[in-house]
Amino acid sequence: MKKKINVLVRILVMAAIFVITIYLVNIFQNRSYKNLAAEMKDAELPLAYVCYGDSLLNCMHGYTGEVDLTLLRDSVTPIDENKNLEIMVENDAFKDASYSYEIRSISGDSLIEKGDLEAASGTDGYDVLDISARMDLKQDMEYMLVVKLKSGDGRSASYYTRVVVNDNYHESQLLNAAKDFHDATFAFDKLESESVIGTYKQEYTGGGTGDSYGLGHVNLANAYSDLLWDGLKPTVISDVNTYIKEIDVNYAVIEMEYKAMSITSQDVMSYYTVKEFYKISYRDVPVASQIDEADGAGTDGIYFDETASYDEAYSDEQDADTVTETEPKITMLSYDRYVDEYFDKDGIDAINNVYEIGIVSSDDLEYRYTEDNKKIAFVRNGQLWMYDYGDGQITLVYGSGMDDHANDSNTYSDHDMNIISFDKDGNMTFAVYGYMNSGDHEGKLGVALYTFDYTTLEVDELLFVECNVPYEAMKSETSRLTYYDGDKFYYMLGGKVNAVDMKTRQQSYIAEGLSASDVKVSVNMEVMAYGESEDQSSNTKLTLMNMHTGKSYEITAGAGECLICYGFKDSDMVYGVSSISDAQVDVDAESFVGTRYSEESRDNIPASRLYIVNSDGEQIKEYAKSGYYLMQVDVDTNLLYLTRGEKSDSGFKSVDDDFITFKEDDTKETIGTTHLSSITGYDRLYFTVPSNMYLSYIPALNITKEKIDPDAASMIMTVVRDKVTYHVYDNLGLSKIYDVAGDAINYAVSVSGIVVSSEGEVIYRQAESQEYNTIASGIFHRSTGSVDASLGDCLYMVLTYQGVQVTEDDIAQYTDPVEALNSLGKRQGIDVTGLSLDMLLGYVSSGIPVISRISDGRYVLIVSYNEADIRYYDPVEDKEIVVSRDEYTDMMLQWHNESYTYVEE
């Protein structure tokens, strides 16, 4: 009996020791975690993919609300003439799901076909959906495919990708080229001469150099070692999601997105989100041995007699030595890799007294700090952090995926944040805008307003405004302005400055009809300014609004003058006064080469005076120097950089720049950022702190709790556009929005981007123009013999060329040529004013005539060109005229390259 008792005691003692051990281990392992609570809810909506052979392409995230499809350009999927497509959907969370599909016009307003889908069970937890389009889809025309999911418990989501029918896009070769390049960047020991990277670098003719952010952004201009990660040797830890962003018969933009991890010899692990962008062209080139070696044979194998007349050289029946054998040629037009490191709370560097932010692709870091410098709030990779130096704590205020970087759902980055206010106690107000990746609003687009209580570690949602604008379009506006004064929430969206009264839950707007560039906002977002007109010559009033005090101030121009707002220095507004008559004065653009004078500033009327007013509308400085004009004003950190001009008979010509400096208090040290490469061997961004602060301890981690607030408000805002705008997409998505197509195209050329209208039509994409082309034989000439009627004559010819029967009275109803082309024609008319002659000839290269204004104000039609000359039909003279390119360029400059054309579907 005693033996049994001893055994029992031993068992009880061992059990007690086990429990105590578990308890102590738990305390030890979590000794740096305080008030640990559940993170934000993980994403639940399944992901969908296009099945392409053995690969999955074009990862699609589910949307649970309305979406403006003309602004959604996440991916495009080429399909063959059989119009078959296979979609794979993760089905782990959504059991017993039913599916259907729709094919819509690219604008989304026209339903082409719809149907139900039967899901087959695939491998690895996927539902497989086979879609066979029944309707006759036009070749090369983009449509929007919508896949709709509905779960057994009533939840639903929609998935989107553009589709286009063409058997000759060579997408498999282009995708393989991108994959080969991607793989080669991880072949760390391979010589450049043995790598496909070396081949593409030798052929690369693009400009630019590697960025100043080290590995944060590299391109083909960087050294080979940079492209191979310069010894960092990261490992890919997630799926490599591949997207076809744009494609046509000879060109594609391909994106690869993935997560990577590196580890040092001291076992320090770092995690990164990586995006790679490939712009690749495909063309069949003549086999070298087959090209005729006769004098005058061109690289395209077509014989050209340089002594022939214009008509002979460009007739459709010219002699040619046709090469029958070709081989594919793939050219890497550009490659860009952007790397952003995830913030690691352990990145305290006590020796250098800095806090590591990480490798960054851009210096555009959203952060605030308290007046005593003891607390910093900042946004990194979709996560909002708050570091408390005094208490030695750091808090993940908002965001998910902290320890699960490989999860594509939780780390989806189609949203961003603005820190609105941050007080000395660590309490914060902030806004989240874009695609809601998790939580109660998962799958919706919108703007959410939150408060954070540092004492309770609770995040409280005050308001959610659901909208139909995708993140890429939303960020150009909403990133500029979100402000909460305790009573009203202000935000910019849909060309309006909106205001929500939090007590009445009613929304109104302060101003409307604004583009993102029309509204200027102070850094702290407390003060904003806007004009009454997009046209500067009509802008005779500026409104300055101090949202902190709720007061507004109006600044008016004198007789014959107009105003331009340049922006804010802290909370002080900087604006200029211009003479309306100076809008007609030309600018000697060549004299400004090498200055800061940008293409965008060419639409601004140079100002003769500059003023600075504070947030209460009080003037604090004036700048004016007789005979000098401000061509461009840049608001830098501690100065205004003034690009100046002088007016002469030939127009505004460049003179020396000038500056207005702001003296800073050198004795007051504040939180800042700096790039350092000496610490880790790689260029990383760091927080710097005042000299009386000593960073020595790794802070304890807090994770916030979501507060359930029954008083939280929700509303829906549907943005309806009342005008056509033109959107420039660069590597990282939607870059800028313009009202004039020509301005958008000029900017797109500078960033190697594309231009898409708000109606979904691709207005411009990079493409190789033919060396010559003529459409003269297809133009039905019309002449009324007068300069005043020449525009109507040109419109008549263009519409007739499209196959439209119109009368003179039909055209006479319209004063705007773009409106006439859109209302009467079969294609979308565009204003391409400002484009160079070379750019205009790109349309003629595609078989599209261009209306151009020249000389005495007459409008003519460009119908042919070669390397040296162009041919245009002059309805005043009733004949075709051939002039040199240089001569025609001079004729166009007199009317600032005013031009109009249209785009094919």
Side-chain angles (χ1 to χ4, degrees), residues 666-680:
D666 296 333
T667 63
K668 184 179 180 180
E669 295 182 276
T670 61
I671 299 292
T673 61
T674 187
H675 284 270
L676 295 173
S677 58
S678 58
I679 298 175
T680 63

Side-chain angles (χ1 to χ4, degrees), residues 44 46 82 160 300 316 324 604 699 789 804:
E44 295 181 353
N82 294 322
Y160 303 92
D300 57 0
D316 293 334
T324 57
N604 298 339
V804 179

Side-chain angles (χ1 to χ4, degrees), residues 129 251 484 543 547 631 888 891:
L129 310 175
Y251 168 83
Y484 180 51
T543 298
M547 290 172 287
M631 311 299 293
Y888 193 82
M891 294 160 66

Side-chain angles (χ1 to χ4, degrees), residues 530-577:
Y530 55 89
E532 62 180 343
S533 173
E534 296 175 358
D535 179 7
Q536 186 188 340
S537 62
S538 301
N539 194 36
T540 58
K541 182 176 70 175
L542 290 176
T543 298
L544 175 70
M545 182 171 181
N546 187 330
M547 290 172 287
H548 181 66
T549 63
K551 294 181 179 180
S552 296
Y553 310 90
E554 290 186 353
I555 299 170
T556 56
E561 295 181 329
C562 58
L563 305 176
I564 177 172
C565 181
Y566 296 115
F568 282 83
K569 171 64 178 74
D570 298 329
S571 295
D572 300 329
M573 182 184 73
V574 183
Y575 74 96
V577 180

Side-chain angles (χ1 to χ4, degrees), residues 490-554:
Y490 302 89
Y491 67 99
M492 188 172 179
L493 185 64
K496 298 178 181 179
V497 176
N498 304 280
V500 179
D501 189 309
M502 299 298 290
K503 292 180 181 178
T504 64
R505 301 189 180 186
Q506 296 297 311
Q507 176 166 286
S508 58
Y509 59 86
I510 297 169
E512 64 175 338
L514 304 171
S515 64
S517 59
D518 292 330
V519 178
K520 307 297 183 183
V521 184
S522 63
V523 174
N524 62 9
M525 298 191 184
E526 288 186 359
V527 192
M528 68 175 175
Y530 55 89
E532 62 180 343
S533 173
E534 296 175 358
D535 179 7
Q536 186 188 340
S537 62
S538 301
N539 194 36
T540 58
K541 182 176 70 175
L542 290 176
T543 298
L544 175 70
M545 182 171 181
N546 187 330
M547 290 172 287
H548 181 66
T549 63
K551 294 181 179 180
S552 296
Y553 310 90
E554 290 186 353

Side-chain angles (χ1 to χ4, degrees), residues 622-639:
E622 177 184 2
Y623 174 95
K625 293 189 177 180
S626 180
Y628 292 93
Y629 294 81
L630 304 177
M631 311 299 293
Q632 180 171 308
V633 176
D634 295 299
V635 184
D636 291 346
T637 305
N638 293 320
L639 59 81

